[in-house]
Amino acid sequence: MSDTTTTTGGAGKLRGSIGVVGIVFLVIAAAAPLTAIGGALPVMIAIGNGAGAPSAYLIAALVLLVFSVGYAAMSSHMVDTGAFYAYVAKGLGESCGLGAAGLALLTYTAIQAAVYGLAAATIQGLVVQYGGPDLPWWMWALVLIALVAVLGYRSIDLGAKVLGVLLVLEIGIILALSFGVLVKGGAAGIDFASFTPTSFFSGSPGVALMFAIASFIGFEATAIYGEEARNPRRTIPIATYAAVIVIGLVYALASWAVVLAFGSDNVAAAAADDPAGLTFAAAAHFLGGPAADVMAIMLVTSLFAALLAFHNAISRYVFALARKGAAPRALSRTHAKHGSPHIGSVAQTISATVVVGVFALVGADPVLELFTWMAGLATVSILVLMVLTSVAIIAFFARTRLDTRIWHTRIAPVLGCGGLVAVTGLVLDNFTTLIGGSALLADILLAVIALFFVAGLVVARVTRQNRAGVERDRELTPTI
């Protein structure tokens, strides 16, 4: 009789041979570039800073790049699939670490649920457009959950290959649109107004920066896959820098092209008139109608890639917590053949079904409520988590002196922390706008974030008490 799991002292070890390119694919897939350019960008332009939106992406990338310096330096001294949770635990102690784990699980569960809503609504619209049946959005969400469950259960190498194919196609259509606009000179010629301080600070730059940061959610996955990477102490730092730089440049180039497609002076009005169709209208005009249709279909593959990436991240967080004794031990098992956290993957599939099911049962709108509320919740949660991680990195190197490079262990982490605190302040100031709801709803969602952090602290206390009880029992048990 064969066992489907492998354990080491009751806890499994992840296996894989993913390299820098594979990890970068996983991270960029989570960022879902086509979703950002086709969905978030028009809203950024309409209610944010208009033609200055490309600058917001560059500033967000710069803040995250500076943060990544300390993050990458610390990854050279530890390899743990818990990523942010593990880093905070190392720097600030196990209690804060489990509080951070609560925020991480909330972030990825919320953003994945949000994407399920958007993806299901997108598929529903496309199927009806092409003459198919008008099925409820939640049925398409269940289909997506099933597909993600199958791939998430198996080896990370298979998931990386699937995401790699989808991502190449996605980036390809984005670059085709960008170069198509640039080659034809846009609507009124090529200009660089988008990258001037005047454009960035016009309108509501805080709203634009808020959407820009949200478009990078998932970049911590470089460390999450450390145990499944070849030579992780080298792979993770390189993948972290590469992911942030590539995402930032793709966003900046594509958003600039969309601005030029309508003209720097007219793009804000065009976005306000048709936010859902802005990017697709640009594709139809500069690449032809069929290109816009292909882009609309590829938006679904972009969202699917993000769903798979977030699924993998959550199942590995759960695995890391179980291995530390902060979650049921069964979740720390790994598959004998695939080397994947398959029990954690199944648990994540169940939780996604429950969250999506609750919104479906109450008749919530998949975009205006499920997507908007959960995306806003995830944005604030991940920012708080990154601020905690920055402080943990500073504390870790100050205490251990394992790395004496001043820029990597002191200056960059402090600058990154300051930048993240500033961005967090802007997001909180515009949070009600981000979720498209009332002040009461905003307060409730922020309270949920605090609740998950506190829940992590409580779990840490209970875990310590249980360990102490086990140790006392061992001391009192007579030896024979």
Side-chain angles (χ1 to χ4, degrees):
M1 181 176 177
S2 62
D3 187 6
T4 58
T5 63
T6 180
T7 60
T8 304
K13 182 174 177 59
L14 300 175
R15 298 197 313 274
S17 58
I18 189 171
V20 171
V21 174
I23 292 178
V24 171
F25 276 170
L26 286 165
V27 174
I28 299 178
L34 188 54
T35 303
I37 299 303
L41 175 63
V43 180
M44 286 174 63
I45 293 173
I47 67 174
N49 58 350
S55 293
Y57 283 123
L58 289 180
I59 291 172
L62 180 60
V63 170
L64 295 181
L65 196 59
V66 174
F67 164 82
S68 297
V69 173
Y71 188 60
M74 193 165 175
S75 71
S76 299
H77 301 283
M78 61 181 293
V79 177
D80 194 309
T81 195
F84 282 165
Y85 146 64
Y87 285 50
V88 174
K90 275 285 187 181
L92 302 178
E94 189 66 22
S95 292
C96 279
L98 286 174
L103 293 177
L105 289 175
L106 174 63
T107 295
Y108 287 107
T109 299
I111 193 64
Q112 189 190 44
V115 176
Y116 272 123
L118 180 59
T122 303
I123 294 174
Q124 181 188 41
L126 285 174
V127 170
V128 172
Q129 178 184 335
Y130 287 104
D134 187 6
L135 301 176
W137 68 268
W138 54 264
M139 292 187 64
W140 295 113
L142 290 177
V143 171
L144 291 170
I145 289 173
L147 292 174
V148 169
V150 171
L151 289 174
Y153 187 90
R154 297 171 63 84
S155 168
I156 191 63
D157 296 322
L158 175 62
K161 291 174 182 176
V162 172
L163 291 178
V165 172
L166 296 179
L167 191 60
V168 167
L169 296 174
E170 182 179 351
I171 296 296
I173 193 69
I174 291 174
L175 293 179
L177 171 61
S178 301
F179 289 117
V181 173
L182 293 174
V183 168
K184 295 181 179 179
I190 305 298
D191 65 63
F192 297 90
S194 293
F195 303 104
T196 62
T198 301
S199 289
F200 174 73
F201 287 107
S202 65
S204 302
V207 173
L209 195 57
M210 177 175 63
F211 277 99
I213 285 289
S215 298
F216 281 85
I217 289 180
F219 89 99
E220 76 159 298
T222 52
I224 288 176
Y225 301 112
E227 292 184 24
E228 297 158 280
R230 296 191 298 269
N231 190 10
R233 297 185 188 280
R234 174 180 177 275
T235 299
I236 301 308
I238 295 175
T240 301
Y241 291 132
V244 175
I245 291 171
V246 170
I247 294 172
L249 291 178
V250 168
Y251 283 164
L253 174 63
S255 59
W256 181 44
V258 171
V259 169
L260 294 177
F262 295 90
S264 300
D265 296 331
N266 302 317
V267 68
D273 289 340
D274 184 19
L278 185 78
T279 302
F280 302 100
H285 183 74
F286 288 93
L287 298 179
D293 294 335
V294 170
M295 182 176 284
I297 294 171
M298 289 187 61
L299 177 59
V300 174
T301 64
S302 170
L303 291 166
F304 178 77
L307 288 170
L308 180 56
F310 289 132
H311 176 96
N312 288 333
I314 298 168
S315 60
R316 281 153 183 77
Y317 257 111
V318 170
F319 169 85
L321 289 171
R323 194 167 56 179
K324 295 288 186 180
R329 181 63 67 178
L331 295 171
S332 67
R333 295 176 182 172
T334 55
H335 197 280
K337 178 180 179 181
H338 305 304
S340 62
H342 64 304
I343 303 297
S345 177
V346 172
Q348 202 288 308
T349 298
I350 294 172
S351 70
T353 304
V354 169
V355 174
V356 172
V358 168
F359 276 85
L361 286 174
V362 299
D365 185 278
V367 177
L368 297 179
E369 293 170 333
L370 176 54
F371 174 75
T372 303
W373 295 358
M374 292 297 98
L377 179 67
T379 301
V380 175
S381 184
I382 195 67
L383 282 168
V384 174
L385 183 56
M386 286 194 288
V387 170
L388 274 174
T389 304
S390 294
V391 175
I393 291 169
I394 296 168
F396 173 79
F397 285 118
R399 184 179 69 252
T400 64
R401 304 288 180 182
L402 288 174
D403 192 330
T404 57
R405 295 174 296 175
I406 295 178
W407 167 251
H408 290 75
T409 62
R410 296 183 185 178
I411 298 176
V414 169
L415 291 175
C417 184
L420 289 169
V421 168
V423 172
T424 303
L426 286 172
V427 171
L428 290 175
D429 191 46
N430 294 278
F431 187 58
T432 303
T433 301
L434 178 62
I435 62 171
S438 65
L440 176 61
L441 176 61
D443 290 340
I444 292 173
L445 293 179
L446 293 176
V448 169
I449 294 172
L451 180 63
F452 268 75
F453 181 77
V454 172
L457 299 180
V458 172
V459 170
R461 182 178 180 85
V462 172
T463 302
R464 282 199 305 270
Q465 290 175 342
N466 290 341
R467 287 174 182 168
V470 171
E471 291 300 323
R472 285 196 301 270
D473 291 343
R474 286 176 179 174
E475 292 174 358
L476 293 175
T477 301
T479 57
I480 300 176

